[in-house]
Amino acid sequence: MKQLWISYVSHVTRLFQSSYDSKTLPYWRDRIFADMIIYILPLSIIALIPGLLLSYKYELYGIFFGDIIVFALVFCCGFLPKISLNARKILFGIAVYTVALTMLYYLGSFGPGLVYLLAITFFVSLTYPRKQALWTAWINLGICLLYGLLIPYNIFESETLSLFDRQLNWFGISSNMIFLSFLFPFLVPRLYTGLQTHIESQNRLEKELKQEQMKLRESMRKLEDKNVELEQYAFIASHDLQEPLRTITSFLTLLKERQADKFDEKGLKYLRLALEGAQNMRMTVQDLLEFSSIGEENPEFRNVDINEVIEVIQSLLNKTISEQKATIQVESLPVIKTNQRLISQVFLNLITNALKYSKPGVPPVVKIGQVFNEEYWHFYVSDNGIGIEEEYFEKIFVIFQRLHDKNIYSGTGIGLAIVKKISDNFGGKVWVESIVNEGSIFHIQIPRI
Ligand code: ADP
């Protein structure tokens, strides 16, 4: 039974497909019509069978044939293939008018004819714009007037009442129907106005959203192109700069070592500054190369013991640690599946910074640990250094963004950009918490794989 109902509904829905876009009002008018027909078809059988039996029994053959014609019309409206939706609506309208007129003719002023006349206005109010609905109200008015005027000719019903009473009854009852017929075309479109405003604002919002998304996508694409270009440029420039820089540094070192006696004090100072400049530039070039090479090749992932990574870094930084009398406190860290070179680079940069940005005269205390998280490996590197103002929390991860003069804290401004790029490549994230003059905590999360 359920299956039968489902296939019946899908069949009627398919035949009653609206040609309008679902985001328009006419579409909803068509849709309501289709839904109406879906229920009216089976329900009309309930009204039809007793109607046929009664009219047959009392020999009201007009009603009998009227019922059959109406059912045939509704059936054609619901099941005839290849006719337009508008034709279906007209067929349905004719069917309801036929019922109304048959009822009026046979059952007179107290019969249900008036109800059907009202129903047609209601139906047209739901499925057509107000203008068409008002036509039906006028037609109803015309039918009722005509009926009233024909009463004296005794075409319709028996003469149990006086002519005056029959006409009075008729006009009294039908005026209520006329009143409602004019009411529907004004009330129902109000419903639609609300629906229309809602649909229109939704359409507008959707359109705006689509435009914004397109703009965003375009900007992202441009940004990505620019980034690739920039990285290629940085790679080529830094790669090509390496050789001449090495030559400059080695000749300046040679000059300083072998020809120092030929320079006066000023000359030696200039030589020292030139050497420092060249060395700074080499560091920048190396960091740039490192930065642009991340993500170039597919990194090899294997189990890496982070405790060992930290041990190696500690031994690399041994000299600085003892010079600064720094303390490094390491929690027990996990073995994780990752790329050894990249994760080492992350910790090296963070620990180097934690030592570098220490408060003058205060030995650095650097803590390295982990926070439990089901989805990510979450590590932190904290220090008791100079700290960072909140407004720079994001900026420091952008390449070449530095907060201090090179003469006070040396550096290239690439270290944290490298950390961010690696964590992005891992599908993770990095961020900082900090209080100026108290210290910073750098957090890094990378997905567990
Ligand atoms: P660099 O250290 O070479 O300048 P980074 O990218 O590593 O470049 O760091 C960017 C900036 O972030 C630094 O110039 C510094 O101002 C700030 N910074 C980084 N780490 C710390 C830290 N642990 N404490 C305070 N400031 C920091």
Side-chain angles (χ1 to χ4, degrees):
M1 194 68 184
K2 197 177 160 195
Q3 202 53 42
L4 190 74
W5 175 254
I6 292 172
S7 55
Y8 157 73
V9 170
S10 69
H11 181 75
V12 176
T13 316
R14 212 174 322 114
L15 287 181
F16 280 63
Q17 206 80 289
S18 173
S19 53
Y20 295 100
D21 178 14
S22 68
K23 287 180 190 129
T24 62
L25 206 50
Y27 168 84
W28 287 101
R29 290 201 174 102
D30 290 350
R31 179 71 199 271
I32 284 177
F33 176 53
D35 287 347
M36 237 161 55
I37 291 293
I38 285 172
Y39 290 99
I40 282 175
L41 275 173
L43 289 177
S44 64
I45 299 173
I46 299 176
L48 179 82
I49 294 171
L52 282 177
L53 287 175
L54 280 178
S55 52
Y56 186 72
K57 184 167 180 224
Y58 293 109
E59 295 181 354
L60 293 168
Y61 294 117
I63 296 189
F64 184 83
F65 289 114
D67 268 0
I68 290 182
I69 292 171
V70 168
F71 188 71
L73 282 171
V74 175
F75 190 84
C76 289
C77 158
F79 293 108
L80 260 194
K82 290 184 187 155
I83 58 167
S84 72
L85 203 58
N86 217 20
R88 289 182 199 280
K89 285 184 186 176
I90 291 170
L91 272 181
F92 185 71
I94 295 174
V96 186
Y97 265 126
T98 313
V99 184
L101 296 177
T102 319
M103 298 288 183
L104 273 183
Y105 186 80
Y106 285 101
L107 301 177
S109 59
F110 299 104
L114 289 174
V115 178
Y116 279 96
L117 283 184
L118 186 61
I120 189 99
T121 311
F122 185 60
F123 157 70
V124 178
S125 299
L126 281 176
T127 52
Y128 282 101
R130 175 180 292 161
K131 212 168 129 197
Q132 275 92 328
L134 272 175
W135 288 350
T136 63
W138 287 111
I139 293 172
N140 287 357
L141 178 65
I143 293 175
C144 290
L145 279 178
L146 189 69
Y147 187 96
L149 294 175
L150 291 177
I151 287 176
Y153 300 100
N154 290 329
I155 319 176
F156 305 116
E157 34 182 318
S158 58
E159 297 163 49
T160 45
L161 289 174
S162 71
L163 172 66
F164 178 76
D165 280 351
R166 274 190 280 146
Q167 262 183 329
L168 194 69
N169 270 347
W170 171 252
F171 286 119
I173 293 168
S174 65
S175 63
N176 284 304
M177 191 279 297
I178 304 286
F179 152 73
L180 290 174
S181 293
F182 279 97
L183 194 66
F184 283 143
F186 285 98
L187 284 189
V188 175
R190 288 210 166 271
L191 265 179
Y192 279 122
T193 316
L195 186 65
Q196 187 164 27
T197 324
H198 177 73
I199 293 175
E200 274 169 7
S201 72
Q202 205 176 344
N203 284 354
R204 207 185 44 246
L205 279 180
E206 253 174 45
K207 214 167 137 194
E208 280 172 9
L209 195 73
K210 255 190 210 142
Q211 278 172 350
E212 287 304 314
Q213 275 176 339
M214 261 168 65
K215 270 193 212 157
L216 198 72
R217 233 174 275 141
E218 181 62 7
S219 314
M220 294 246 298
R221 198 188 52 74
K222 278 189 190 155
L223 202 70
E224 271 167 20
D225 286 355
K226 279 270 167 279
N227 260 347
V228 172
E229 232 173 75
L230 202 72
E231 276 174 25
Q232 281 170 348
Y233 177 73
F235 182 79
I236 294 165
S238 44
H239 187 265
D240 290 358
L241 274 175
Q242 257 190 330
E243 192 46 44
L245 260 178
R246 204 174 294 131
T247 318
I248 294 171
T249 321
S250 51
F251 277 108
L252 283 174
T253 316
L254 274 180
L255 257 184
K256 197 180 155 197
E257 283 170 2
R258 299 202 190 156
Q259 312 278 321
D261 51 335
K262 300 208 170 104
F263 290 96
D264 60 6
E265 208 173 303
K266 251 190 185 164
L268 280 175
K269 188 183 160 197
Y270 294 154
L271 193 60
R272 183 174 51 81
L273 288 177
L275 198 57
E276 271 175 21
Q279 271 157 355
N280 273 340
M281 206 158 165
R282 267 191 80 177
M283 263 165 54
T284 309
V285 163
Q286 270 161 8
D287 281 356
L288 256 182
L289 269 176
E290 179 69 44
F291 179 79
S292 47
S293 68
I294 297 163
E296 285 283 283
E297 86 278 20
N298 271 344
E300 179 209 345
F301 280 67
R302 60 183 175 81
N303 284 337
V304 178
D305 185 345
I306 303 298
N307 297 295
E308 281 173 18
V309 168
I310 305 295
E311 265 171 41
V312 173
I313 294 173
Q314 269 181 284
S315 62
L316 271 176
L317 299 174
N318 206 5
K319 195 167 158 237
T320 323
I321 293 171
S322 55
E323 270 173 12
Q324 292 190 281
K325 300 192 174 62
T327 317
I328 311 274
Q329 299 173 357
V330 192
E331 262 183 28
S332 163
L333 296 169
V335 175
I336 70 171
K337 195 159 185 211
T338 187
N339 177 270
Q340 169 138 22
R341 190 178 70 79
L342 295 177
I343 200 74
S344 306
Q345 188 73 51
V346 166
F347 281 108
L348 177 66
N349 291 6
L350 292 180
I351 297 169
T352 310
N353 280 351
L355 294 170
K356 184 162 60 170
Y357 296 104
S358 61
K359 279 185 283 197
V362 180
V365 178
V366 181
K367 294 179 187 160
I368 302 147
Q370 66 163 326
V371 179
F372 180 76
N373 183 310
E374 270 185 2
E375 258 179 88
Y376 295 93
W377 293 111
H378 181 155
F379 300 103
Y380 67 86
V381 176
S382 76
D383 62 54
N384 58 340
I386 55 172
I388 303 161
E389 282 180 45
E390 200 177 334
E391 61 181 296
Y392 300 115
F393 280 6
E394 295 205 356
K395 216 172 163 191
I396 52 170
F397 293 100
V398 176
I399 192 163
F400 297 132
Q401 296 290 336
R402 306 198 69 238
L403 308 180
H404 307 97
D405 195 284
K406 266 204 170 108
N407 294 325
I408 306 174
Y409 291 103
S410 67
T412 58
I414 304 176
L416 289 181
I418 291 180
V419 171
K420 172 142 178 37
K421 199 170 171 190
I422 294 174
S423 81
D424 283 352
N425 267 343
F426 283 161
K429 58 182 176 184
V430 57
W431 71 98
V432 67
E433 290 175 86
S434 183
I435 299 175
V436 174
N437 263 328
E438 285 192 22
S440 312
I441 311 177
F442 282 82
H443 296 269
I444 173 153
Q445 278 188 339
I446 47 179
R448 288 168 183 259
I449 44 170

